[in-house]
Amino acid sequence: MAKPIEEGDYVRLWASNKKGDSFLIRLAKGGSLGSRIGAVRHDDVLAAGFGGEVLSTKGERFFVVRPTVSDFCRKIHRVTQVVYPKDAGVLLTSLDIRPGASVLECGSGSGGMTVFLAHFVGPGGRVYSYDVREDHQKVAMDNCRRWGVDDRVLFRVADVEEAGFQERDLDALFLDVRCPWKIVEPAVSALAPGGRLAVLVPTVNQVEMVLESLREAGCADLVVTETSQRNWKTNPKRLRPEDSMVAHTGFMVFASTLKAGVVPDEYW
Amino acid sequence: MAKPIEEGDYVRLWASNKKGDSFLIRLAKGGSLGSRIGAVRHDDVLAAGFGGEVLSTKGERFFVVRPTVSDFCRKIHRVTQVVYPKDAGVLLTSLDIRPGASVLECGSGSGGMTVFLAHFVGPGGRVYSYDVREDHQKVAMDNCRRWGVDDRVLFRVADVEEAGFQERDLDALFLDVRCPWKIVEPAVSALAPGGRLAVLVPTVNQVEMVLESLREAGCADLVVTETSQRNWKTNPKRLRPEDSMVAHTGFMVFASTLKAGVVPDEYW
Amino acid sequence: MAKPIEEGDYVRLWASNKKGDSFLIRLAKGGSLGSRIGAVRHDDVLAAGFGGEVLSTKGERFFVVRPTVSDFCRKIHRVTQVVYPKDAGVLLTSLDIRPGASVLECGSGSGGMTVFLAHFVGPGGRVYSYDVREDHQKVAMDNCRRWGVDDRVLFRVADVEEAGFQERDLDALFLDVRCPWKIVEPAVSALAPGGRLAVLVPTVNQVEMVLESLREAGCADLVVTETSQRNWKTNPKRLRPEDSMVAHTGFMVFASTLKAGVVPDEYW
Amino acid sequence: MAKPIEEGDYVRLWASNKKGDSFLIRLAKGGSLGSRIGAVRHDDVLAAGFGGEVLSTKGERFFVVRPTVSDFCRKIHRVTQVVYPKDAGVLLTSLDIRPGASVLECGSGSGGMTVFLAHFVGPGGRVYSYDVREDHQKVAMDNCRRWGVDDRVLFRVADVEEAGFQERDLDALFLDVRCPWKIVEPAVSALAPGGRLAVLVPTVNQVEMVLESLREAGCADLVVTETSQRNWKTNPKRLRPEDSMVAHTGFMVFASTLKAGVVPDEYW
């Protein structure tokens, strides 16, 4: 069942103050978290255990909770924009990720989505993560190692526009690059026929290009979607949404691939 | 890698027409799908394979694609409201479901969320699914069996307000019942300290009650959230959102549990 | 103050049933409204007065309420898509319509926005409404006459791409045509320098074209915006949003015009 | 037509820089605007005229545009939360404000909505604005005077829960107070039968109370609604929504009043 706390674990320290301060730390004996609201000794956290309480040097109460993969991805070291949980969730369920699946992503970025994918395919699954920039990929690698899912990720530095993908017959494929329309052809070749392809892009101009290229590549069942998430304040006597929210992260385009030579009609 | 088509598989037949007709079928030799736009023989689908094409008796072209867990849950036999993919995604990432996890849900309903949970914890995981109504739970069971994930689900018919939950030290717990505030106490007892609890309710009156009960039970890090998803039409020359969308499914409340006796301050 | 009921008035008949049936009628002595839930005699409505109650022949209770300009525009005879109240409101406040203003709209369509504009500029104001199609404009004219605001509207059938606008020095100008970018130049010429221009288009491809043309025409302070409105069910014991909503009507682009020769820098 | 620039006018100075800096000033001979990006002399603005250009002392280009009532209300001196244009628009069209109408608002707050109402009822209309706090109302008065609409506003300092409203037979009534349910009865009495009532509240708990009180007061045709507005970045080559947006301002509740003794059925 749920494992007890130990050195090397990530924990989240949550303070029940107005600001909702919350810190993600990796426990090391003798370690210490410094913060605006006081320092916390890692040894105290190990002693308190999950669900326990520690006091900072400034007397702030902190509570030790188990971090989720969303908590981790929200706080990772990043060199690029990372995928939001609201989008990651729809990608996971619409790409049909599952334990044991073989998934390809291009590019690795800071590894936010790599972590999500590797987390959900599990130790029996496989994530192939491509990026043209080795420096970015090192950050992604490091984040996977921290979350303990690097064993199932195969990182590849490659110029896909030039060389294509090495894999074939994959379950799912996710494109998160600036010009995804340039690599739709290799993406379709890497997927099993009837398989699922997803693309994430921030602008509508890119959506237009992606749709054109997916049509040309003979893809089926195109879907364009965007998600939003609105948090509410949690006082039950004055229940109301938060004042501001994220207005936009990106547009997601989904498609199913077909066998070579099978091309649907234009249908809009 | 991706497995080839065979009898017993679910496939999705997608027609590239204006209406975007799409059918989820389970392949049986000699079987046939009847539809407004013609009949399709299952044997033709088996012969075409994933990514292939079949013709209906009315000459409509159908394309054979691999269904996702979202496709399946959207089309299951239902006796109750089912959880939407947009919400399931946030629940999965914020409850921190992963291959091998032990998760409890109450109630089973039509099994939409049971299928999602069982799909993502994988064969090494465990889902405990409670419902007070045996007739509903039979539908849920049947849906799990169809999607091939019933091996990891343990269904229990029980009046939880009376008897509580049998499990302890769970990774995650999800409440989807009319009066969740009445079973927050047993829910906290069933979770490992520091573990994740989620509640889904349709009305704000219920959100108020849930927040009160979570506070009383000493839960930490309360979050209330709602998601929305807007699909776009897919003609790249006239790119625009669809005319209508789902305005509301439910509010989700998340919390982390603490050890008995550890109680955060009131913080709003 | 508020005027009493009389023949020729529009009234809204609202039935307090689950479907929220609501009918907009113009009162005529001896007239009758036929509906699924029974017929209502206009004479009964005149006798009941505003705020009163009448019974249909099927025993349904109807309540007589004063229609707003939004009620009227929602129910007008239409040959084209009409502007929604949520958008009309933002157009009115961002174009700075006011009693006595001189406003131009192109095209008239079914007259939904013509009615809104004419309603808010009042009897001392002026609306110039252009359309290339005389048949559409007749519908718009008729709708303005029905709402009693035709005295301040000057309809013009013209091909603006060819002939431009006749007016100069206007307070505000609203474009609701398929290719607004083709008439941005005449629009700028018709407005007083520093005046307000608004464009409504359904697709992002059109937004792109409009933005390019406004930039080329030397417009300032470009704003692109979209609005949404979500209604809630009204049972206070089970307060929750409606199940579905309008996902999209159109994108609005606003700009201020400058004197000829004054051209802002590219600023994004 | 559009009037030329003169001393005493409000103008908006817009800089075509990345930050979209924009300043609302009232022109006074010899005056000067100081800003982070340089000072601007009012005399230069008067000389440039609407649609013209002025240079700040730091060489920043400013463009002189006509401010809308939304621009003004966004920048007014405020002591309370002000009504947003997205909400003001729906209030105006659903309360059926028009030139010449008689409208009551309670409370005045900083006068944001007072200005909107007074602007749209015009010099022939009348706004009765109640507030229990004289100090707030002075701010509201001052803002009305600045926008030149104070001639049609009658401010009243009163405890409405005690004394009710003095007016009768009004066209529309708007409640923007903390406990609107306590003054629904006087509000209904002040309106003409069949007239329009609107309430703005930030929390769902308040919405519940308002709905209960409107039902008890025999109001008809209850509508609860919320609006949202999403701005887009304006680069046509990279068209996409802004990163963040306002998530919540308030919920609006609308109703029509009926004659004393006429009470609709419970209909949800």
Side-chain angles (χ1 to χ4, degrees):
Chain A
M1 292 285 190
K3 69 181 239 352
I5 208 163
E6 58 185 28
E7 205 183 356
D9 279 354
Y10 272 96
V11 305
R12 195 153 61 85
L13 296 179
W14 174 80
S16 60
N17 57 15
K18 283 247 168 197
K19 295 208 66 172
D21 286 307
S22 174
F23 301 90
L24 186 77
I25 60 168
R26 187 169 206 173
L27 295 174
K29 272 177 195 146
S32 173
L33 162 75
S35 89
R36 191 177 46 75
I37 51 177
V40 174
R41 293 173 38 197
H42 288 204
D43 292 358
D44 290 352
V45 176
L46 281 159
F50 283 118
E53 176 180 354
V54 290
L55 279 182
S56 82
T57 51
K58 288 195 178 164
E60 187 82 32
R61 301 174 72 200
F62 278 101
F63 302 89
V64 186
V65 300
R66 298 172 191 268
T68 65
V69 66
S70 287
D71 293 330
F72 180 74
C73 288
R74 210 158 28 209
K75 304 243 173 175
I76 60 175
H77 172 214
R78 64 182 66 180
V79 289
T80 55
Q81 175 67 40
V82 297
V83 174
Y84 277 65
K86 72 186 179 68
D87 296 326
V90 169
L91 288 166
L92 291 168
T93 58
S94 299
L95 276 176
D96 202 14
I97 303 307
R98 65 178 174 282
S102 290
V103 186
L104 188 152
E105 93 172 327
C106 180
S108 317
S110 303
M113 193 63 193
T114 325
V115 167
F116 270 113
L117 291 170
H119 180 93
F120 284 99
V121 301
R126 179 64 97 184
V127 179
Y128 303 93
S129 185
Y130 282 74
D131 207 300
V132 71
R133 290 190 58 168
E134 200 170 355
D135 55 339
H136 284 184
Q137 206 169 62
K138 277 197 176 135
V139 177
M141 263 183 195
D142 196 48
N143 282 322
C144 286
R145 199 175 304 121
R146 285 165 189 274
W147 193 242
V149 294
D150 54 312
D151 56 329
R152 69 212 66 165
V153 185
L154 220 149
F155 285 101
R156 299 197 195 278
V157 176
D159 181 346
V160 178
E161 288 179 36
E162 285 289 309
F165 298 114
Q166 298 176 38
E167 292 72 22
R168 290 293 174 274
D169 211 28
L170 294 166
D171 295 313
L173 199 146
F174 172 57
L175 302 180
D176 184 11
V177 296
R178 187 165 304 188
C179 302
W181 52 89
K182 293 187 180 169
I183 55 173
V184 159
E185 289 282 2
V188 170
S189 305
L191 275 165
R196 295 293 288 170
L197 175 62
V199 184
L200 180 68
V201 286
T203 74
V204 291
N205 315 73
Q206 289 167 302
V207 174
E208 293 165 27
M209 299 289 279
V210 167
L211 287 170
E212 296 278 11
S213 66
L214 290 172
R215 287 258 331 146
E216 271 164 41
C219 290
D221 195 17
L222 272 49
V223 171
V224 177
T225 197
E226 57 175 330
T227 67
S228 72
Q229 186 167 359
R230 184 165 76 154
N231 288 341
W232 286 54
K233 293 173 192 285
T234 55
N235 183 341
K237 304 266 187 265
R238 292 197 231 154
L239 193 58
R240 49 162 291 179
E242 295 280 357
D243 297 315
S244 68
M245 65 187 279
V246 171
H248 180 66
T249 51
F251 298 98
M252 291 176 280
V253 187
F254 292 100
S256 293
T257 61
L258 300 179
K259 287 182 173 169
V262 180
V263 180
D265 308 311
E266 200 160 302
Y267 57 89
W268 44 67
Chain B
M1 293 284 188
K3 74 181 233 355
I5 207 163
E6 58 185 28
E7 206 182 355
D9 279 354
Y10 273 96
V11 304
R12 195 153 61 86
L13 296 180
W14 173 80
S16 61
N17 57 16
K18 283 245 166 197
K19 295 207 67 170
D21 286 307
S22 175
F23 301 91
L24 187 77
I25 59 168
R26 187 169 206 174
L27 294 174
K29 271 176 195 149
S32 175
L33 162 75
S35 89
R36 193 178 45 78
I37 51 176
V40 173
R41 294 174 38 197
H42 288 202
D43 292 359
D44 289 352
V45 176
L46 282 159
F50 283 118
E53 174 180 355
V54 290
L55 279 182
S56 82
T57 51
K58 288 196 179 165
E60 187 83 31
R61 302 173 72 199
F62 279 102
F63 302 89
V64 186
V65 300
R66 299 171 190 268
T68 65
V69 66
S70 287
D71 293 330
F72 180 74
C73 288
R74 208 157 32 206
K75 303 244 173 175
I76 60 174
H77 173 215
R78 63 182 67 180
V79 289
T80 55
Q81 176 66 41
V82 296
V83 174
Y84 276 64
K86 70 184 181 69
D87 296 326
V90 169
L91 288 166
L92 291 168
T93 58
S94 297
L95 276 175
D96 202 13
I97 303 306
R98 63 177 175 283
S102 290
V103 187
L104 188 151
E105 91 170 329
C106 181
S108 317
S110 303
M113 194 62 193
T114 326
V115 168
F116 269 114
L117 292 170
H119 180 94
F120 283 99
V121 300
R126 180 64 98 183
V127 179
Y128 303 93
S129 184
Y130 282 74
D131 208 299
V132 70
R133 291 191 57 168
E134 201 170 354
D135 55 338
H136 283 185
Q137 205 170 64
K138 278 199 175 134
V139 176
M141 263 183 194
D142 196 47
N143 282 322
C144 286
R145 201 175 303 121
R146 285 166 189 272
W147 193 243
V149 295
D150 54 311
D151 56 329
R152 69 211 66 165
V153 186
L154 221 151
F155 285 101
R156 300 198 195 276
V157 175
D159 181 346
V160 177
E161 289 180 37
E162 285 290 309
F165 299 113
Q166 299 176 37
E167 293 72 25
R168 290 292 173 276
D169 210 28
L170 295 166
D171 294 314
L173 199 146
F174 172 58
L175 302 180
D176 184 12
V177 295
R178 187 164 305 186
C179 302
W181 52 90
K182 293 187 181 170
I183 55 173
V184 158
E185 289 283 3
V188 170
S189 305
L191 275 166
R196 294 293 288 170
L197 175 63
V199 185
L200 180 68
V201 286
T203 74
V204 291
N205 313 73
Q206 290 168 303
V207 174
E208 293 165 28
M209 299 289 281
V210 167
L211 287 171
E212 297 278 10
S213 65
L214 290 172
R215 287 259 329 147
E216 273 164 40
C219 289
D221 194 17
L222 272 49
V223 171
V224 177
T225 197
E226 58 175 330
T227 67
S228 72
Q229 186 167 359
R230 183 164 77 154
N231 288 342
W232 286 55
K233 294 174 191 283
T234 55
N235 183 341
K237 304 268 186 267
R238 292 198 232 154
L239 194 59
R240 48 162 292 179
E242 294 280 357
D243 298 314
S244 67
M245 65 187 279
V246 171
H248 180 65
T249 51
F251 298 98
M252 290 176 280
V253 187
F254 292 99
S256 292
T257 60
L258 300 180
K259 287 182 172 169
V262 181
V263 179
D265 308 311
E266 199 160 302
Y267 56 88
W268 43 66
Chain C
M1 292 284 191
K3 71 180 234 357
I5 208 162
E6 57 184 27
E7 206 184 355
D9 279 354
Y10 273 95
V11 305
R12 196 154 61 85
L13 296 180
W14 174 79
S16 61
N17 57 15
K18 282 246 166 197
K19 295 207 69 172
D21 286 305
S22 174
F23 301 90
L24 186 76
I25 60 168
R26 187 170 206 173
L27 294 174
K29 271 176 197 150
S32 173
L33 163 76
S35 89
R36 195 177 45 76
I37 51 176
V40 174
R41 294 175 37 197
H42 288 201
D43 291 358
D44 289 353
V45 176
L46 282 159
F50 283 117
E53 175 181 355
V54 290
L55 280 183
S56 82
T57 51
K58 289 195 177 164
E60 187 83 31
R61 302 174 71 201
F62 279 100
F63 302 89
V64 186
V65 300
R66 297 172 191 267
T68 65
V69 66
S70 287
D71 293 330
F72 180 75
C73 288
R74 209 157 30 208
K75 305 241 173 178
I76 60 173
H77 173 216
R78 63 180 69 179
V79 289
T80 57
Q81 176 67 42
V82 296
V83 174
Y84 277 65
K86 71 183 180 69
D87 296 326
V90 169
L91 288 166
L92 290 170
T93 57
S94 297
L95 275 175
D96 201 13
I97 303 306
R98 66 178 173 283
S102 290
V103 186
L104 188 152
E105 95 174 323
C106 180
S108 316
S110 303
M113 194 63 193
T114 325
V115 168
F116 270 114
L117 292 171
H119 180 94
F120 284 100
V121 300
R126 178 64 98 183
V127 180
Y128 303 92
S129 184
Y130 282 73
D131 207 300
V132 71
R133 290 190 58 169
E134 201 170 353
D135 55 338
H136 283 184
Q137 205 169 62
K138 279 199 175 133
V139 177
M141 264 184 195
D142 195 48
N143 282 321
C144 286
R145 200 174 304 121
R146 285 166 189 272
W147 193 243
V149 293
D150 53 312
D151 55 330
R152 68 211 69 164
V153 185
L154 219 149
F155 286 101
R156 299 198 195 275
V157 176
D159 181 347
V160 177
E161 288 180 36
E162 286 290 308
F165 298 113
Q166 298 177 35
E167 292 71 25
R168 290 294 174 274
D169 210 29
L170 296 166
D171 294 313
L173 198 146
F174 171 57
L175 301 181
D176 184 12
V177 296
R178 188 167 301 187
C179 302
W181 52 89
K182 293 186 181 170
I183 55 173
V184 159
E185 289 284 1
V188 171
S189 304
L191 275 164
R196 295 292 289 170
L197 175 62
V199 185
L200 179 68
V201 286
T203 75
V204 291
N205 314 73
Q206 289 168 302
V207 174
E208 293 165 28
M209 299 289 281
V210 168
L211 287 171
E212 296 279 10
S213 65
L214 290 172
R215 286 262 326 146
E216 272 164 41
C219 289
D221 194 17
L222 273 48
V223 170
V224 177
T225 198
E226 55 175 333
T227 66
S228 72
Q229 186 168 359
R230 184 164 77 155
N231 288 341
W232 286 55
K233 293 172 191 286
T234 55
N235 183 341
K237 303 268 186 264
R238 292 197 232 155
L239 193 58
R240 46 161 293 180
E242 295 280 356
D243 297 313
S244 67
M245 65 188 279
V246 171
H248 180 64
T249 51
F251 297 99
M252 289 175 281
V253 186
F254 291 100
S256 292
T257 60
L258 300 180
K259 286 184 173 168
V262 180
V263 180
D265 309 311
E266 199 161 303
Y267 57 90
W268 43 67
Chain D
M1 293 282 191
K3 71 181 232 0
I5 207 163
E6 57 184 29
E7 205 182 357
D9 280 353
Y10 273 96
V11 304
R12 196 153 61 86
L13 296 180
W14 173 80
S16 60
N17 58 14
K18 282 246 167 198
K19 296 207 69 174
D21 286 307
S22 176
F23 300 91
L24 187 76
I25 60 168
R26 187 170 206 174
L27 294 175
K29 272 179 195 146
S32 174
L33 162 76
S35 89
R36 192 179 44 77
I37 51 177
V40 173
R41 295 173 37 199
H42 288 203
D43 291 357
D44 289 352
V45 176
L46 282 160
F50 283 119
E53 175 181 355
V54 290
L55 279 182
S56 82
T57 51
K58 288 195 178 167
E60 188 83 30
R61 301 174 71 200
F62 279 101
F63 302 89
V64 185
V65 299
R66 298 171 191 267
T68 65
V69 66
S70 288
D71 294 330
F72 180 74
C73 288
R74 211 160 28 210
K75 305 242 173 177
I76 60 174
H77 173 216
R78 63 182 68 181
V79 288
T80 57
Q81 176 67 41
V82 295
V83 174
Y84 277 64
K86 71 183 180 70
D87 296 326
V90 169
L91 288 166
L92 291 169
T93 58
S94 298
L95 276 176
D96 202 14
I97 303 307
R98 65 179 173 283
S102 288
V103 186
L104 188 153
E105 92 172 328
C106 181
S108 317
S110 303
M113 193 62 193
T114 325
V115 168
F116 270 114
L117 292 170
H119 180 93
F120 284 100
V121 301
R126 179 65 99 182
V127 179
Y128 302 93
S129 185
Y130 281 74
D131 207 299
V132 70
R133 290 190 58 168
E134 200 170 354
D135 54 339
H136 284 184
Q137 205 169 63
K138 278 197 177 135
V139 177
M141 262 183 197
D142 195 46
N143 282 322
C144 286
R145 200 175 304 121
R146 285 165 188 273
W147 193 243
V149 293
D150 54 313
D151 55 330
R152 67 211 70 164
V153 186
L154 219 150
F155 286 101
R156 300 198 193 277
V157 175
D159 182 347
V160 178
E161 289 179 37
E162 286 291 309
F165 298 114
Q166 300 177 35
E167 292 72 25
R168 289 294 174 273
D169 210 29
L170 295 167
D171 295 313
L173 198 146
F174 172 59
L175 301 180
D176 184 13
V177 297
R178 188 166 301 188
C179 302
W181 52 89
K182 294 186 180 170
I183 54 173
V184 159
E185 289 283 2
V188 170
S189 305
L191 274 165
R196 297 292 288 170
L197 175 62
V199 185
L200 179 68
V201 287
T203 75
V204 291
N205 314 73
Q206 290 167 301
V207 174
E208 293 165 27
M209 300 289 279
V210 167
L211 286 171
E212 297 279 10
S213 66
L214 290 173
R215 286 261 327 147
E216 273 165 39
C219 290
D221 194 19
L222 273 48
V223 171
V224 177
T225 197
E226 57 176 330
T227 67
S228 72
Q229 185 167 359
R230 183 164 77 154
N231 288 342
W232 286 55
K233 292 174 191 284
T234 55
N235 183 342
K237 304 266 187 265
R238 293 198 230 154
L239 193 59
R240 49 162 291 178
E242 294 281 356
D243 297 314
S244 68
M245 65 188 278
V246 171
H248 180 65
T249 50
F251 298 99
M252 290 175 280
V253 187
F254 292 99
S256 292
T257 60
L258 299 180
K259 286 183 173 170
V262 181
V263 180
D265 309 311
E266 200 161 299
Y267 57 89
W268 42 67

